[in-house]
Amino acid sequence: MRLNVPLLPLLFQYRLQVALSTKTYFQPDEFWQALEPAHRLVYGYGYLTWEWKDGLRSIAHPMVFSAVYWVSELLGLGDAGLIYGPKVLQALFAAIADYSLYKFASKCYGDEISRLTLMCSVTSAFNFFVSIRTFSNSLEMTLLICALNYWPLDKTAGQVNMLNYSIALVLGAVACVLRPTNALIWFYLGAALVIRVRSFKIVAVAGAVGTIILTLNALVDMWYYKHLTFPLYNFLKFNIVESLSSFYGVNRQLYYIVEALPQLLTVYLPFFFHGIYMSRSSTLAQASVFVVFVYSLISHKEVRFIFPLLPIFHLFAAISLHRLRILARPKLKWTFLVLLSLMNCPLALYASTTHQRGVMDVTSYIRTTPSIDSVGFLMPCHSTPWMSHMHRPDINAWFLTCEPPRGLSRSELATYRDEADQFYDDPALFLRTHFPPLRANDTQLTKFRYDWPSHLVVFGVLEEFLVSYAGDEYAECQRFFNSHFHEDPRRRGDVVVFCKHSN
């Protein structure tokens, strides 16, 4: 029996409620690589990270959200459109991913597995937490599962529906524009299809579609950068040739197996492993293993890099659940499924409403407090959103930067410390070096990188130091709970705002 409800609107309502109730911070790229460039594109001010200065990013993804800002301005929605507009659009993308996953599972495996797959998707703690965030990975996930609905998978032999195939190629090519590494799964699926069908035509169509999408993207990026720029080439050069992505962290070889997959799947992890083993002869299972394997060879690893594969992982978990004998007993079936699903709720709700919410609250405070005329963030770089949430062209705002080492010798690379690192190595020395004396007169304010602002923002771990260093000039004026714990010791404690006494 099929679900007899208007499924897509229902899923959109669910994801929208999640998006609007999410008050926490996860990772910087949600803002700094999506909303901040979009905000600058529309409003003309803000901060662009080094990736945009060096042309490593395509403007294609931020343009999606710049359209939201333009519409918001057209309708006069003000701060509501600025803050909630991108959330509404991303909730729609997340709902489309859920719906496409259900349709894909139904087409490939039937109604029972499709319902179980949808259950895994909508009750997934990680999906709850991340799918409604404005990462390029989130839209990449939506495009991937939409494309798979049109892709000729294992049952295809001989004739390929070229219209569906072309639609899948377009969606897949756009996903690759957003995240070049999405090409890994399409490389495997495409190679398997060519081997199975043995048709030059499908290779030619793939080449034509890829050329068209890449050309259109190049034109868009040329318009944005004002000169011919190839972000894909620059991205691969930085991450693969120069191998500088390791500057942002190096993880062990088995990171995706022992850390990322448990985070992604939580209670569904054992069912995923069982399901992918059961499906080991399928091209989709093999492609998933291939992608995770290749990602494991790269030094810098993040859980969200394989997040676009989560719908596929949920499908394999559902295949396993379908085979459980307990589900054949009606009295036990729903009890088991409900309990399994509810196990995700505490983690999902805590991560979305509590953990790291202070760094979001402080930007709202700055946006809505007219008396703030300057603000500095003595925090690890990109600890908060920026003008996409503060939206204050009238204030002088700064933060500690963390530019990667470019053009340095090997000996220089070994000792390189970015600005945020230098501050945390010796906060007092950094302030003496880069700030004027606290009681300096106007003639002494010309040779320093920073001025003392009207408001300073720090994590609680630095509160005692700042009181001892600048307590005569600054006093606490606001405090926001941020987290009960944090893996980064520099980010522990509340978010504390210090105001200059004259303010």
Side-chain angles (χ1 to χ4, degrees), residues 179 302 345 471 494:
R179 295 285 303 178
E302 293 184 34
C345 289
D494 297 337

Side-chain angles (χ1 to χ4, degrees), residues 307-321:
F307 172 60
L309 297 176
L310 187 55
I312 301 172
F313 295 166
H314 285 149
L315 173 60
F316 293 129
I319 291 172
S320 172
L321 286 168

Side-chain angles (χ1 to χ4, degrees), residues 8 92-105 107-108 138-153 163-175 182 185-186 189 284 308-309 311-312:
L8 182 57
L92 177 61
F93 292 151
I96 291 172
D98 290 328
Y99 181 76
S100 298
L101 176 60
Y102 172 75
K103 299 296 288 184
F104 177 70
K107 178 179 73 174
C108 295
S138 300
L139 182 53
E140 178 191 358
M141 176 188 73
T142 299
L143 291 168
L144 174 60
I145 193 61
C146 286
L148 287 176
N149 274 277
Y150 297 96
W151 184 262
L153 280 168
L163 176 60
N164 287 346
Y165 175 64
S166 299
I167 294 173
L169 287 173
V170 169
L171 294 171
V174 174
N182 192 260
I185 191 168
W186 294 112
L189 293 176
L284 198 57
L309 297 176
I312 301 172

Side-chain angles (χ1 to χ4, degrees), residues 302-346:
E302 293 184 34
V303 62
R304 61 186 177 87
F305 291 173
I306 62 169
F307 172 60
L309 297 176
L310 187 55
I312 301 172
F313 295 166
H314 285 149
L315 173 60
F316 293 129
I319 291 172
S320 172
L321 286 168
H322 181 64
R323 291 289 296 271
L324 289 182
R325 292 181 179 179
I326 192 173
L327 297 190
R329 305 175 184 179
K331 293 182 179 180
L332 296 176
K333 175 180 178 179
W334 290 108
T335 301
F336 174 78
L337 292 178
V338 168
L339 290 176
L340 186 67
S341 301
L342 288 177
M343 290 173 67
N344 279 311
C345 289

Side-chain angles (χ1 to χ4, degrees), residues 69 100 104 121 154 198 287 333 339 355 366 433 441 446 481:
Y69 292 147
S100 298
F104 177 70
S121 183
D154 295 329
R198 300 181 182 278
K333 175 180 178 179
L339 290 176
H355 185 61
I366 294 168
T433 304
N441 57 45
T446 57
F481 169 79

Side-chain angles (χ1 to χ4, degrees), residues 6-171:
L7 187 56
L8 182 57
L10 190 65
L11 291 169
F12 175 58
Q13 182 181 12
Y14 167 65
R15 292 298 181 192
L16 181 60
Q17 290 176 339
V18 173
L20 297 181
S21 63
T22 296
K23 307 294 183 184
T24 58
Y25 189 90
F26 178 38
Q27 289 182 345
D29 281 9
E30 176 184 359
F31 308 105
W32 293 88
Q33 306 301 348
L35 299 186
E36 298 300 336
H39 183 277
R40 186 180 176 93
L41 192 62
V42 174
Y43 298 102
Y45 67 95
Y47 186 94
L48 292 179
T49 61
W50 65 271
E51 291 100 327
W52 297 95
K53 299 168 186 174
D54 289 1
L56 266 74
R57 298 279 182 171
S58 171
I59 196 60
H61 183 239
M63 281 186 69
V64 173
F65 299 103
S66 67
V68 174
Y69 292 147
W70 275 319
V71 171
S72 173
E73 287 298 297
L74 185 65
L75 298 178
L77 299 179
D79 284 1
L82 179 83
I83 302 301
Y84 296 109
K87 290 176 175 285
V88 173
L89 181 60
Q90 190 58 51
L92 177 61
F93 292 151
I96 291 172
D98 290 328
Y99 181 76
S100 298
L101 176 60
Y102 172 75
K103 299 296 288 184
F104 177 70
S106 179
K107 178 179 73 174
C108 295
Y109 294 97
D111 291 344
E112 181 65 25
I113 289 180
S114 67
R115 287 194 290 270
L116 289 170
T117 304
L118 183 61
M119 179 204 76
C120 293
S121 183
V122 299
T123 62
S124 162
F126 200 88
N127 227 3
F128 187 99
F129 181 56
V130 176
S131 68
I132 46 77
R133 296 180 182 271
T134 54
F135 291 110
S136 59
N137 311 89
S138 300
L139 182 53
E140 178 191 358
M141 176 188 73
T142 299
L143 291 168
L144 174 60
I145 193 61
C146 286
L148 287 176
N149 274 277
Y150 297 96
W151 184 262
L153 280 168
D154 295 329
K155 295 181 181 179
T156 303
Q159 194 68 25
V160 173
N161 184 314
M162 296 308 294
L163 176 60
N164 287 346
Y165 175 64
S166 299
I167 294 173
L169 287 173
V170 169
L171 294 171

Side-chain angles (χ1 to χ4, degrees), residues 86-293:
K87 290 176 175 285
V88 173
L89 181 60
Q90 190 58 51
L92 177 61
F93 292 151
I96 291 172
D98 290 328
Y99 181 76
S100 298
L101 176 60
Y102 172 75
K103 299 296 288 184
F104 177 70
S106 179
K107 178 179 73 174
C108 295
Y109 294 97
D111 291 344
E112 181 65 25
I113 289 180
S114 67
R115 287 194 290 270
L116 289 170
T117 304
L118 183 61
M119 179 204 76
C120 293
S121 183
V122 299
T123 62
S124 162
F126 200 88
N127 227 3
F128 187 99
F129 181 56
V130 176
S131 68
I132 46 77
R133 296 180 182 271
T134 54
F135 291 110
S136 59
N137 311 89
S138 300
L139 182 53
E140 178 191 358
M141 176 188 73
T142 299
L143 291 168
L144 174 60
I145 193 61
C146 286
L148 287 176
N149 274 277
Y150 297 96
W151 184 262
L153 280 168
D154 295 329
K155 295 181 181 179
T156 303
Q159 194 68 25
V160 173
N161 184 314
M162 296 308 294
L163 176 60
N164 287 346
Y165 175 64
S166 299
I167 294 173
L169 287 173
V170 169
L171 294 171
V174 174
C176 292
V177 165
L178 298 182
R179 295 285 303 178
T181 47
N182 192 260
L184 287 172
I185 191 168
W186 294 112
F187 169 79
Y188 192 96
L189 293 176
L193 180 63
V194 169
I195 292 171
R196 189 169 67 250
V197 177
R198 300 181 182 278
S199 168
F200 175 76
K201 185 177 180 181
I202 62 173
V203 178
V205 172
V209 170
T211 300
I212 291 171
I213 297 299
L214 289 176
T215 301
L216 292 174
N217 181 240
L219 292 174
V220 169
D221 286 329
M222 186 169 65
W223 165 80
Y224 175 72
Y225 285 106
K226 310 302 181 187
H227 57 85
L228 191 60
T229 304
F230 297 101
L232 174 59
Y233 168 78
N234 295 332
F235 177 90
L236 293 175
K237 180 183 177 184
F238 177 85
N239 288 283
I240 306 300
V241 178
E242 298 178 0
S243 193
L244 288 176
S245 61
S246 59
F247 172 71
Y248 294 105
V250 175
N251 307 84
R252 53 180 166 172
Q253 197 89 31
L254 295 178
Y255 168 83
Y256 287 113
I257 304 299
V258 301
E259 295 184 50
L261 284 176
Q263 289 180 58
L264 283 171
L265 290 155
T266 58
V267 298
Y268 299 120
L269 181 66
F271 305 106
F272 159 72
F273 280 124
H274 180 227
I276 203 167
Y277 175 78
M278 291 171 57
S279 308
R280 60 191 180 277
S281 61
S282 77
T283 303
L284 198 57
Q286 294 165 4
S288 300
V289 173
F290 171 76
V291 172
V292 174
F293 171 75

